């Protein structure tokens, strides 16, 4: 048995845009699931996204806190953003989001994990990167946050402290939780841990990318 997700698309007899959204569309597919079995499924057609878990030389992770209107909370998260710049590689988008949201750059970037946060209702795929050799942008290289990003708070938090907060239920952002626990698991596995993939590793799961 191969413990790996695999592509297995079913024929789509018809696809309709139910609602053209500001950022994402709601689509309805009529799926020929099996002989004699046809059904409709509605879901969010997503651009795909990237996120960055930045770690410094003191083994602290870079977290940001920002307001998320759908849940009405200020959440501690990791820098993240949409893959909505035409022709931009996913890893380059991650570096851009790190700079824009935190004012930092990474000297080294690796692929930590890929995840589908809600595969029953969205085709979103998020690639999470591990950033090290992180330095702060200064002077002309700095980035000024505006609008809702102007309220972003930044904190360097020891990895163990962040993982403990996640396990206590004090952190709830799914991407941040996955990233923190993945890095902790990678550290725990030690020599048995697989080598992290390169920053520009193929990303075929990204909707509309192929």
């Amino acid at each position: 048995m191969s413990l790996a997700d695999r592509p297995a698309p079913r024929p789509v007899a018809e696809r309709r845009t139910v609602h053209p959204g500001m950022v994402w569309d709601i689509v309805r597919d009529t799926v020929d699931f099996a002989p004699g079995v046809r059904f409709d499924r509605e879901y969010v057609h997503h651009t795909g996204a990237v996120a960055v878990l930045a770690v410094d030389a003191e083994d602290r992770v870079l977290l940001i806190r920002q307001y998320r209107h759908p849940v009405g909370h200020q959440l501690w998260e990791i820098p993240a953003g949409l893959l909505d710049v035409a022709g931009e590689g996913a890893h380059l988008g991650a570096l851009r989001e790190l700079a824009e949201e935190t004012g930092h750059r990474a000297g080294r970037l690796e692929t930590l994990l890929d995840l589908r946060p809600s595969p029953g209702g969205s085709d979103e795929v998020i690639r999470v990167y591990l950033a090290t050799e992180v330095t702060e942008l200064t002077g002309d290289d700095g980035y000024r946050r505006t609008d809702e990003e102007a309220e972003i708070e930044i904190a360097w938090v020891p990895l163990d402290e962040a993982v403990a907060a996640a396990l206590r239920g004090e952190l709830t952002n799914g991407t941040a939780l996955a990233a923190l626990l993945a890095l902790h698991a990678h550290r725990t596995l030690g020599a048995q841990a697989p080598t992290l993939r390169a920053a520009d590793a193929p990303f075929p799961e990204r909707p509309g990318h192929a």
Side-chain angles (χ1 to χ4, degrees):
M1 180 184 69
S2 173
L3 191 61
D5 297 339
R6 62 180 182 179
R10 306 300 167 95
V12 176
E14 185 180 3
R15 173 167 295 166
R16 303 172 294 285
T17 299
V18 177
H19 173 71
M22 294 173 59
V23 180
W24 311 296
D25 295 337
I26 305 296
V27 301
R28 180 184 298 158
D29 285 355
T30 298
V31 183
D32 286 330
F33 182 73
V37 181
R38 171 178 282 191
F39 52 69
D40 289 345
R41 289 291 182 269
E42 289 185 357
Y43 57 94
V44 176
H45 182 54
H46 201 281
T47 57
V50 289
V52 184
L53 181 61
V55 184
D56 70 3
E58 299 177 42
D59 212 30
R60 300 178 302 174
V61 294
L62 184 58
L63 301 181
I64 63 174
R65 181 161 63 182
Q66 60 181 326
Y67 175 67
R68 293 300 191 183
H69 182 70
V71 297
H73 278 62
Q74 287 183 314
L75 302 180
W76 283 107
E77 307 178 350
I78 59 176
L82 301 176
L83 288 169
D84 56 1
V85 177
E88 181 181 61
H91 65 295
L92 299 178
L95 293 172
R96 173 176 52 80
E97 292 294 342
L98 179 65
E100 291 179 357
E101 294 190 346
T102 74
H104 288 76
R105 65 158 59 94
R108 181 177 176 83
L109 196 68
E110 299 168 282
T111 297
L112 181 61
L113 77 160
D114 298 325
L115 66 146
R116 292 185 169 93
S118 185
S122 173
D123 61 7
E124 179 183 14
V125 179
I126 303 175
R127 170 154 288 182
V128 182
Y129 295 90
L130 176 64
T132 51
E133 302 174 12
V134 179
T135 57
E136 187 174 1
L137 295 169
T138 59
D140 293 338
D141 292 329
Y143 184 87
R144 182 177 180 182
R145 294 187 297 275
T146 60
D147 301 323
E148 61 185 285
E149 289 187 344
E151 289 192 354
I152 288 179
E153 299 177 47
I154 300 173
W156 284 101
V157 181
L159 174 61
D160 288 347
E161 182 179 323
V163 169
L167 296 177
R168 289 194 299 266
E170 296 169 354
L171 304 179
T172 58
N173 177 270
T175 306
L177 295 180
L180 292 168
L181 296 177
L183 180 57
H184 179 73
H186 193 269
R187 298 276 185 82
T188 301
L189 286 171
Q192 295 180 331
T195 302
L196 295 181
R197 289 168 288 162
D200 59 353
F203 193 3
E205 298 88 355
R206 177 180 171 187
H209 183 64

